Amino acid sequence: MKIDLETAERMIEAAKEEAEKIEVPMVISVVDNAGKLIALERMDNALQVSIGLSQQKAYTSVVMRNTTEEVGKLAQPGNELYGIEVSVDDLVTFGGGIPVFDGDEVIGAVGVSGGAVEEDMQVAQAGVDAL
Amino acid sequence: MKIDLETAERMIEAAKEEAEKIEVPMVISVVDNAGKLIALERMDNALQVSIGLSQQKAYTSVVMRNTTEEVGKLAQPGNELYGIEVSVDDLVTFGGGIPVFDGDEVIGAVGVSGGAVEEDMQVAQAGVDAL
Amino acid sequence: MKIDLETAERMIEAAKEEAEKIEVPMVISVVDNAGKLIALERMDNALQVSIGLSQQKAYTSVVMRNTTEEVGKLAQPGNELYGIEVSVDDLVTFGGGIPVFDGDEVIGAVGVSGGAVEEDMQVAQAGVDAL
Amino acid sequence: MKIDLETAERMIEAAKEEAEKIEVPMVISVVDNAGKLIALERMDNALQVSIGLSQQKAYTSVVMRNTTEEVGKLAQPGNELYGIEVSVDDLVTFGGGIPVFDGDEVIGAVGVSGGAVEEDMQVAQAGVDAL
């Protein structure tokens, strides 16, 4: 299975509704199974830094095959991937990126940025749930 | 005037219809008055190189306050901006990027990539016309 | 269809035989449908610049969905993609990269570097023919 | 002594067998005495982030003339190379990269990525042992 544009838009729409509900303007990205952008929307007044971060969170989720939250735990001082975000370009090590699986295979990811990390995770989850 | 997300989506929708009419899958980007992404959609089966190119065309149109087609003419050997794309990162010097004005002021741009340059220009124009 | 490692190795083996026949040490890369490396072999005494070039040729073939030879023609002065290799990182605009299709879909590419461009193209073709 | 392509392939083959034994798909890279790629293989379903990481681990082992595990210890907060991966591009500071010596001289390295760090180290060691 692949995420086509129509599916990506449905995921973004659901994420956007969640973001509107908690009244935080977000940037929402959906990427394919190689971490490449399918669609992105920046809500009015979202942080400019979130344009890049939302894409990087989605990318990280695909190439690490994990949520950015979990990657972040492994990258803490004393843990086994400490320093990985320095070694590898475009990784993000805090929540807001969630991979999408078809069975065992990663078929894409959602990346959300704009609010507190908990809020980003909640909005990204809403995007994934729309599948 | 600013291009808000709703307007950007309307522009992308119009561009997408034009691309469907000529049956060429495109990537369509709309950026703000700083050249930063508001929304992007990649149609199914669009060229992967177009993900970046559509953004760069829109960016070029804003920072040069001109279409990428015109920038391309000025950048030909013997002309006055020859070599500018080497000096400045992320410029594109062929058609498909069109700035959007409010009076004298650039408020954003559309960038399209995926087909022949003529096709990209036609689809970008459809996006601008939706304003 | 996907190119798995076994297939990639068979393609490299065939390309390597062709390179040995013409007695030119080459670097041979096979990438997936996103332009990401599956396997690379550098023959003894191959040019060091070819390590990167062979990967970039394969990458270019995927993201442009065309041979690097054809991309190069479009990128000549006066042609419609003139300057594209300046705008887009990692593109190569001379022969030696050939995409692999499954029907209409790009599933990967071979990139070869090390000899004259004609030789690179011949060796890359041998790799593709092994499919 | 130099690592030629045939030797690099033998090392990769041994590492791959070890990876298959523990059932973790890995990316395995072998580099020369300058840290430059001789051969790389990505096993089916290996993490995409490992394509770069395996090369960087091998590179790090050569330029630091040490395992990435040891480099990682020196780079911990409070230790003498703390921050080195920020100063120097492409370093990796966790296990999976092992240099290969001929007497006192570094002649290359193996870099492995794809599993837990312990697994990467075990598979890299199998590659080195094949020499």
Side-chain angles (χ1 to χ4, degrees), chain B residues 47-49 53, chain C residues 59-66 71 74 81 84 91:
Chain B
L47 283 178
Q48 292 180 49
V49 77
L53 272 177
Chain C
Y59 171 81
T60 300
S61 301
V62 167
V63 299
M64 297 292 294
R65 211 180 282 156
N66 211 335
V71 173
L74 295 166
L81 297 186
I84 190 170
L91 290 195

Side-chain angles (χ1 to χ4, degrees), chain B residues 76, chain C residues 74-80 82:
Chain B
Q76 290 301 311
Chain C
L74 295 166
Q76 292 300 313
N79 289 357
E80 77 172 26
Y82 176 55

Side-chain angles (χ1 to χ4, degrees), chain B residues 69-91:
Chain B
E69 187 194 13
E70 287 303 316
V71 173
K73 286 179 189 162
L74 294 167
Q76 290 301 311
N79 289 357
E80 75 176 22
L81 296 185
Y82 176 56
I84 189 171
E85 77 277 19
V86 179
S87 303
V88 183
D89 285 346
D90 293 325
L91 292 195

Side-chain angles (χ1 to χ4, degrees), chain D:
Chain D
M1 205 190 103
K2 274 185 168 186
I3 300 177
D4 58 13
L5 175 55
E6 203 184 308
T7 307
E9 287 184 293
R10 203 169 67 237
M11 296 167 76
I12 288 181
E13 215 47 51
K16 219 163 47 171
E17 272 174 36
E18 189 74 12
E20 278 160 2
K21 209 188 310 175
I22 60 173
E23 297 183 330
V24 184
M26 304 275 195
V27 184
I28 303 149
S29 295
V30 176
V31 301
D32 67 15
N33 67 347
K36 297 190 180 185
L37 205 54
I38 303 172
L40 175 149
E41 294 194 16
R42 167 161 52 125
M43 294 169 68
D44 300 336
N45 301 314
L47 282 177
Q48 293 179 47
V49 77
S50 298
I51 304 169
L53 272 177
S54 71
Q55 297 179 62
Q56 290 173 254
K57 286 180 181 180
Y59 170 81
T60 301
S61 301
V62 168
V63 299
M64 295 295 293
R65 211 178 286 155
N66 210 335
T67 63
T68 53
E69 187 194 12
E70 287 304 316
V71 173
K73 286 180 190 162
L74 295 166
Q76 291 300 311
N79 289 357
E80 74 175 22
L81 297 185
Y82 176 56
I84 189 171
E85 77 277 18
V86 179
S87 303
V88 183
D89 284 347
D90 293 325
L91 292 194
V92 175
T93 52
F94 42 88
I98 304 178
V100 178
F101 290 91
D102 179 26
D104 277 354
E105 202 184 348
V106 182
I107 57 169
V110 181
V112 171
S113 174
V117 167
E118 282 296 326
E119 294 167 332
D120 293 350
M121 290 166 60
Q122 172 184 346
V123 169
Q125 190 59 55
V128 172
D129 292 346
L131 261 181

Side-chain angles (χ1 to χ4, degrees), chain C residues 1 8 12 16 19 29-31 34 38-39 47 51-52 56 58 61 67-69 73 87-88 99 116 129:
Chain C
M1 206 189 104
I12 288 181
K16 219 163 48 172
S29 295
V30 176
V31 300
I38 302 171
L47 284 176
I51 304 169
Q56 290 173 253
S61 301
T67 62
T68 54
E69 188 194 12
K73 286 179 190 164
S87 301
V88 182
D129 291 345

